[in-house]
Amino acid sequence: MSDVLDELEWRGLIAQHSDIDKLRADLAEGPITFYCGFDPTAPSLHHGHLVAVKVMRHLQLAGHKPLVLVGGATGLIGDPRDKGERTLNTKETVAQWSVSLKNQLETLLDFEGENAARTVNNLDWTSELSAIDLLRDLGKHFRMGTMLSKDIVKRRLESEEGISYTEFSYQILQANDYLELYRRYNCTLEVGGNDQWGNLVGGMDLIHKVEGESVHVLTNPLITKSDGSKFGKTEGGAIWLNPDMLSPYKFYQFWLNTADDDVVHMLKVFTFLSRERIEELAQQVAERPQAREAQRVLAEEVTTWVHGADVTERVKQASAVLFGRAEPTGLDAATLLDATAELPSASASLGDSIQDVLVNLGLEKGRGAARRTIASGGVYINNVKVDDEERVLESDDVLAGDLILVRKGRKNMTVVHVH
């Protein structure tokens, strides 16, 4: 079971750790219980959360028992961040988002079997704390010098807005989570993002002070691209896992657009492919980068993990349709509309001539030019070549979502919305 640390190291998933040799020994002795926390600060997880979940899944596959902590209490407070105070959401909103995150996380880990994952909510024990309990039983174990020395706290204190006592106290609540999980489940390892290092160590120290026991912490790094910039975000914002916030098609395209310099690292971080398979793909990137096989595999693997195999097949087909390699007739309306959302478009009615449609779409300047393009075999309706210069739009052309794909040449794909 200790081999999992070697696997995490090879994949670039270890940033900092407490005592790696002791952790390796404890992992080798038998299954341990570990946890990672996720605060409901939004109605969905995003791709950055997948890194911590990936660490959890590797540990679970190695036989260890995951606790998935949803921060129903800490989500009400807000972890300090560089950009100033968080907006405090209502209790009803945080409760609703907690359920959403719980449901998402339960699709990413295994909740059956001998080492099944278990979901816990820190509101269950934090809500029972009185102000006196917090100050007497927890606060006395924290030294102001240590709390003030944490990087994020120092940066916020030096900023114009400073830091509220509310967010300053967050580290006590997170430390108490580790203590509670140690007492309730004999949890001896906390994992999380490297920006949480100070909070993780706070929990480890609290257990040592209160219980006299040594436990472990392990962080994963912030994932960056080869140029050092942050990996993530589209023009529309975060790479959400919720399909209602970011369509599976756009999710798939995000991974498909990974740069050659970054794709091998992302395969290590975000997929469960073997070393041998990743090395094969790395060789293909070096020898045939134009084929983009590694990007295709990355997009398929991550989309399947998050959205399922059936959804992945649909978005793959949609992608093939837009490149003229497949017929669109079997695609559902939602996938088609997502896939064509950013294409040039125009409205039309059944019975309109293809010549007029080409002009309205901006593919040709006039009917004469449109006629010549059709005659030369350069126009396609739903990826089927048009061979009749007098062709009009027909009911059989209309796809799900009341649209028709019109393409000129190999690359100029457009969409007609039928009304």
Side-chain angles (χ1 to χ4, degrees):
M1 293 183 182
S2 62
D3 290 344
V4 67
L5 293 180
D6 295 332
E7 181 73 10
L8 294 175
E9 189 72 50
W10 178 78
R11 291 180 180 272
L13 288 170
I14 297 179
Q16 297 185 80
H17 46 77
S18 45
D19 185 340
I20 197 73
D21 292 332
K22 181 65 167 60
L23 175 58
R24 188 182 298 274
D26 288 350
L27 292 172
E29 285 184 9
I32 70 166
T33 297
F34 67 96
Y35 97 97
C36 182
F38 302 86
D39 275 352
T41 55
S44 172
L45 300 172
H46 56 71
H47 77 296
H49 292 111
L50 289 177
V51 183
V53 179
K54 183 83 173 340
V55 172
M56 297 182 76
R57 183 62 178 142
H58 277 294
L59 287 165
Q60 184 178 37
L61 290 170
H64 305 289
K65 300 177 181 180
L67 293 172
V68 180
L69 185 144
V70 176
T74 43
L76 290 167
I77 301 303
D79 190 12
R81 58 180 182 175
D82 283 326
K83 297 180 181 179
E85 291 282 319
R86 294 181 183 271
T87 300
L88 294 181
N89 296 299
T90 66
K91 292 182 179 180
E92 292 76 17
T93 296
V94 172
Q96 183 180 353
W97 289 354
S98 295
V99 174
S100 298
L101 265 59
K102 175 179 179 291
N103 292 338
Q104 284 185 326
L105 288 159
E106 288 181 352
T107 68
L108 300 173
L109 295 165
D110 190 351
F111 280 75
E112 297 180 353
E114 291 185 4
N115 61 329
R118 178 171 185 164
T119 305
V120 294
N121 190 326
N122 59 18
L123 187 63
D124 292 344
W125 54 82
T126 308
S127 61
E128 298 174 353
L129 277 175
S130 69
I132 296 299
D133 293 336
L134 177 68
L135 295 174
R136 281 181 56 87
D137 299 338
L138 294 177
K140 67 178 180 180
H141 297 294
F142 289 82
R143 293 294 174 264
M144 288 297 296
T146 303
M147 297 177 73
L148 290 167
S149 68
K150 293 185 177 179
D151 289 341
I152 183 63
V153 173
K154 287 195 296 184
R155 289 196 296 272
R156 286 286 298 279
L157 285 173
E158 294 168 358
S159 67
E160 290 184 5
E161 64 267 52
I163 185 171
S164 69
Y165 182 75
T166 299
E167 290 195 2
F168 179 68
S169 303
Y170 181 96
Q171 54 189 299
I172 298 179
L173 296 183
Q174 183 169 335
N176 186 52
D177 289 343
Y178 199 174
L179 176 61
E180 284 290 337
L181 295 178
Y182 172 80
R183 287 170 168 171
R184 295 175 182 224
Y185 304 102
N186 193 31
C187 177
T188 56
L189 169 65
E190 181 180 3
V191 299
N194 202 38
D195 58 340
Q196 292 290 310
W197 172 254
N199 290 338
L200 270 63
V201 169
M204 181 181 70
D205 290 344
L206 180 63
I207 291 172
H208 185 71
K209 291 174 181 176
V210 175
E211 301 291 340
E213 298 291 340
S214 296
V215 293
H216 307 284
V217 295
L218 182 75
T219 63
N220 55 262
L222 174 69
I223 303 304
T224 58
K225 296 188 285 188
S226 56
D227 61 5
S229 62
K230 187 175 181 179
F231 178 70
K233 294 194 179 295
T234 63
E235 291 182 2
I239 311 303
W240 299 110
L241 307 193
N242 186 331
D244 295 329
M245 298 173 67
L246 183 73
S247 74
Y249 179 81
K250 291 180 180 178
F251 184 85
Y252 178 89
Q253 292 297 320
F254 167 77
W255 300 99
L256 195 63
N257 290 329
T258 303
D260 292 339
D261 290 343
D262 300 319
V263 68
V264 174
H265 178 50
M266 301 311 162
L267 284 165
K268 291 180 179 180
V269 171
F270 291 101
T271 78
F272 296 92
L273 295 174
S274 67
R275 296 191 188 197
E276 292 75 19
R277 179 62 175 137
I278 291 176
E279 287 167 358
E280 287 175 6
L281 291 167
Q283 187 172 353
Q284 291 191 37
V285 173
E287 296 175 356
R288 299 180 62 246
Q290 68 279 5
R292 298 186 69 77
E293 176 68 8
Q295 282 88 344
R296 182 187 64 78
V297 172
L298 174 65
E300 288 184 18
E301 291 289 322
V302 183
T303 306
T304 299
W305 185 31
V306 173
H307 293 296
D310 291 343
V311 171
T312 302
E313 283 304 311
R314 289 201 296 272
V315 298
K316 282 171 57 182
Q317 185 181 356
S319 185
V321 164
L322 295 194
F323 285 97
R325 297 194 300 265
E327 293 187 7
T329 50
L331 286 175
D332 61 279
T335 303
L336 262 176
L337 290 169
D338 285 336
T340 59
E342 297 178 10
L343 292 178
S345 64
S347 296
S349 301
L350 297 181
D352 288 356
S353 73
I354 299 301
Q355 295 177 30
D356 289 336
V357 169
L358 291 173
V359 174
N360 291 338
L361 285 166
L363 294 174
E364 294 295 355
K365 293 183 178 179
R367 289 175 58 87
R371 180 185 293 272
R372 289 190 294 273
T373 300
I374 296 171
S376 66
V379 176
Y380 299 79
I381 298 295
N382 297 333
N383 289 337
V384 177
K385 185 181 291 185
V386 176
D387 53 16
D388 179 2
E389 298 169 27
E390 304 302 325
R391 172 86 147 79
V392 299
L393 297 181
E394 302 171 351
S395 58
D396 289 346
D397 298 326
V398 181
L399 303 171
D402 294 328
L403 55 83
I404 300 172
L405 299 178
V406 179
R407 177 163 55 91
K408 175 188 172 183
R410 295 183 62 184
K411 297 182 179 180
N412 297 312
M413 181 69 82
T414 60
V415 60
V416 170
H417 294 281
V418 179
H419 57 77

